[in-house]
Amino acid sequence: MKRILLKIAYDGTNYCGFQVQPNGITVQEVLNRAVSDLTGVPTKTIGASRTDAGVHALGNAAVFDTDARMDGSKYAFALNARLPEDIRIVGSREVPLSFHPRYTTTVKTYEYHILNSRFPDPTKRLYSLFCYYHLDTGKMREALKALEGTHDFRSFQSSAETRPDKNTVRTIYRAELISEDGPADAFRGMMTVRLCGSGFLYNMVRIIAGTVIDIGRGKIPADAMPGIIAAEDRGAAGPTAPPHGLVLKEIRYPELDAE
Amino acid sequence: MKRILLKIAYDGTNYCGFQVQPNGITVQEVLNRAVSDLTGVPTKTIGASRTDAGVHALGNAAVFDTDARMDGSKYAFALNARLPEDIRIVGSREVPLSFHPRYTTTVKTYEYHILNSRFPDPTKRLYSLFCYYHLDTGKMREALKALEGTHDFRSFQSSAETRPDKNTVRTIYRAELISEDGPADAFRGMMTVRLCGSGFLYNMVRIIAGTVIDIGRGKIPADAMPGIIAAEDRGAAGPTAPPHGLVLKEIRYPELDAE
């Protein structure tokens, strides 16, 4: 028995999110079929991150177990021949049988893309949020900086999460804005909010993006972020930005890299 | 009567090209419906560039005539309310009634996007050609340089064009490769072939892109381009690159800009 770790990229536009669910086609369902077809044995994968409908990934992760003798590195090409073009395996390797993609310490990087311009770009519409309002990058950077460190991020958790005893403390290593600077009344073109952290609560990146955009527009003061965190109340933060601007860029497992 | 010039952006993925045709839905057909709906009068637009099925545009152009009194600059927002999200009007203005978008001197810019990497990126698959082969950017730049100037570009015209007396002389002002350089055996990520010229023959940009990629791969020698031009024979050039990597970036009308 071997455990294989897959690095998965997908365009989330046409899927009801990553995780298998009864209401529609998901990335994991398509992936499970491809793995089962390749190995000849009905196989279920275990995913690292349950991205929402419409959210994209360049580096989600999943594992499955198999008795097949194929080398771990070969699965990427073998599975891609059995997957649609909007799902690609971009890396595969054998990992210890004890490895679990969700219960292992990770460093996750998410990016939220914002197209800040007078007119939308139809070729970017499925992969960025179009924002017609002028955004003050200085204010956005100040707000993002306040998120760095270990905090209780309850204010940035979807109100659909109802378990009051859930641990909502997370660490954000870096929260940055990738954008050209310039006069506050100029459009920026494509901007990226990049968050790198130990883990994220449900909808956390989208709520942070929505809050930071409202700060850039001037709807929320630039220095409000520490107070929003301290409130520990979803109502204190801004709106949840829509899913299509979000991409799960990378999941790193330091203990695997250290081998 | 007024003549209105529209600047049009679209994602060509779901259209059978720009120009109205009986076999499927086109960008122009959708645009004509929106203009007719807005003005209340059945109206046909005249397009500048008949992009192929799957080709994208950020700056195609079209004109229509109307007796409506609305200011020319207002049409962009008014039409966008009547158009699907994959077609956007990104500028509108009144032009002289004598202005014709195809019979006026233009400077057109096309870009061909190539994703040069080990694995494809599903979120880029509809807007770039995936190329797994290492590409030598020095050779590609040398080949592109040879295209600059006024030449008979018959070698880069689709063999579907059968009129032997057609004038195939065009001027390319700039032919450049936008890419990171580095060792010849490294992947480049996203690369762009950018061509700026007085006009282009049918499939000319895609045949140039296909030829330059073959030169980058080493299938065609780097110094072959002058001979390919001189041959005046479609058979001398490389393959026609697929449509989805191509975007019509901009059409400039110097005589309008000079007003």
Side-chain angles (χ1 to χ4, degrees), chain A residues 9-12 14 56-58 73 76-77 80 85-91 118-127 132 247, chain B residues 9-12 14 56-58 73 76-77 80 85-91 118-127 132 247:
Chain A
Y10 47 88
D11 178 339
N14 295 319
H56 314 290
L58 294 178
S73 67
F77 282 97
N80 282 337
E85 290 209 330
D86 56 1
I87 304 177
R88 294 286 95 181
I89 307 301
V90 295
R118 184 165 158 73
F119 291 104
D121 175 342
T123 69
K124 303 285 195 315
R125 77 192 189 287
L126 303 172
Y127 311 99
Y132 174 81
V247 59
Chain B
Y10 47 86
D11 178 339
N14 295 318
H56 314 290
L58 295 177
S73 67
F77 281 98
N80 281 337
E85 290 209 332
D86 55 2
I87 303 177
R88 295 286 94 182
I89 307 301
V90 295
R118 184 164 157 76
F119 291 104
D121 175 343
T123 68
K124 303 284 194 318
R125 77 192 188 288
L126 302 173
Y127 311 100
Y132 174 81
V247 58

Side-chain angles (χ1 to χ4, degrees), chain B:
Chain B
M1 178 85 82
K2 280 179 183 176
R3 183 157 291 185
I4 305 295
L5 172 63
L6 303 173
K7 183 176 176 183
I8 314 158
Y10 47 86
D11 178 339
T13 306
N14 295 318
Y15 296 96
C16 296
F18 181 80
Q19 194 180 29
V20 169
Q21 54 131 304
N23 300 321
I25 188 85
T26 63
V27 174
Q28 191 176 25
E29 180 181 336
V30 175
L31 180 63
N32 287 351
R33 275 208 301 262
V35 173
S36 302
D37 183 51
L38 175 64
T39 61
V41 178
T43 306
K44 287 187 174 161
T45 60
I46 299 170
S49 192
R50 298 163 183 167
T51 57
D52 272 343
V55 173
H56 314 290
L58 295 177
N60 205 343
V63 297
F64 65 92
D65 294 337
T66 178
D67 290 319
R69 278 173 302 183
M70 184 159 68
D71 186 76
S73 67
K74 308 271 193 220
Y75 282 90
F77 281 98
L79 286 171
N80 281 337
R82 291 168 169 79
L83 285 166
E85 290 209 332
D86 55 2
I87 303 177
R88 295 286 94 182
I89 307 301
V90 295
S92 61
R93 59 186 291 196
E94 188 178 346
V95 291
L97 283 170
S98 60
F99 175 84
H100 189 289
R102 282 202 301 281
Y103 307 142
T104 305
T105 301
T106 65
V107 180
K108 290 188 183 179
T109 303
Y110 280 92
E111 289 186 350
Y112 198 92
H113 300 297
I114 303 155
L115 178 63
N116 183 222
S117 63
R118 184 164 157 76
F119 291 104
D121 175 343
T123 68
K124 303 284 194 318
R125 77 192 188 288
L126 302 173
Y127 311 100
S128 59
L129 175 67
F130 172 65
C131 179
Y132 174 81
Y133 303 99
H134 293 297
L135 296 172
D136 186 318
T137 53
K139 290 179 179 176
M140 294 168 82
R141 286 186 215 281
E142 178 187 341
L144 285 165
K145 199 76 192 166
L147 291 164
E148 293 184 349
T150 301
H151 302 284
D152 187 327
F153 284 104
R154 194 172 295 262
S155 294
F156 300 95
Q157 176 175 249
S158 168
S159 50
E161 173 60 64
T162 51
R163 290 168 293 174
D165 57 337
K166 191 180 167 187
N167 174 11
T168 48
V169 174
R170 295 289 185 278
T171 299
I172 293 186
Y173 302 119
R174 273 198 318 284
E176 34 186 4
L177 180 71
I178 299 154
S179 166
E180 287 182 21
D181 282 321
D185 62 348
F187 291 113
R188 310 285 169 187
M190 194 62 80
M191 318 170 62
T192 300
V193 173
R194 181 184 290 164
L195 300 176
C196 177
S198 65
F200 294 89
L201 304 168
Y202 184 54
N203 275 359
M204 179 168 154
V205 182
R206 289 167 53 191
I207 297 169
I208 288 175
T211 305
V212 168
I213 290 166
D214 271 6
I215 287 171
R217 287 177 59 179
K219 280 185 73 173
I220 298 176
D223 59 1
M225 197 59 103
I228 294 171
I229 298 170
E232 297 185 16
D233 172 9
R234 173 68 188 90
T240 307
H244 65 278
L246 184 62
V247 58
L248 170 54
K249 194 78 189 297
E250 188 183 39
I251 298 180
R252 284 203 303 118
Y253 294 103
E255 77 180 50
L256 286 180
D257 297 340
E259 271 171 27

Side-chain angles (χ1 to χ4, degrees), chain A residues 48-125:
Chain A
S49 191
R50 299 164 182 165
T51 58
D52 272 343
V55 173
H56 314 290
L58 294 178
N60 205 343
V63 297
F64 65 92
D65 293 337
T66 179
D67 290 319
R69 277 174 301 181
M70 184 159 69
D71 186 77
S73 67
K74 309 274 194 215
Y75 281 91
F77 282 97
L79 287 171
N80 282 337
R82 291 167 169 80
L83 286 165
E85 290 209 330
D86 56 1
I87 304 177
R88 294 286 95 181
I89 307 301
V90 295
S92 61
R93 60 185 289 196
E94 189 178 345
V95 291
L97 284 170
S98 60
F99 175 84
H100 189 289
R102 282 202 301 281
Y103 307 141
T104 305
T105 302
T106 65
V107 181
K108 290 187 181 180
T109 304
Y110 279 93
E111 289 186 349
Y112 197 92
H113 299 296
I114 304 156
L115 179 63
N116 182 224
S117 63
R118 184 165 158 73
F119 291 104
D121 175 342
T123 69
K124 303 285 195 315
R125 77 192 189 287

Side-chain angles (χ1 to χ4, degrees), chain A residues 196-215:
Chain A
C196 177
S198 65
F200 295 89
L201 303 168
Y202 184 54
N203 275 0
M204 179 168 153
V205 181
R206 289 167 53 189
I207 297 169
I208 288 175
T211 305
V212 168
I213 290 167
D214 271 8
I215 287 171

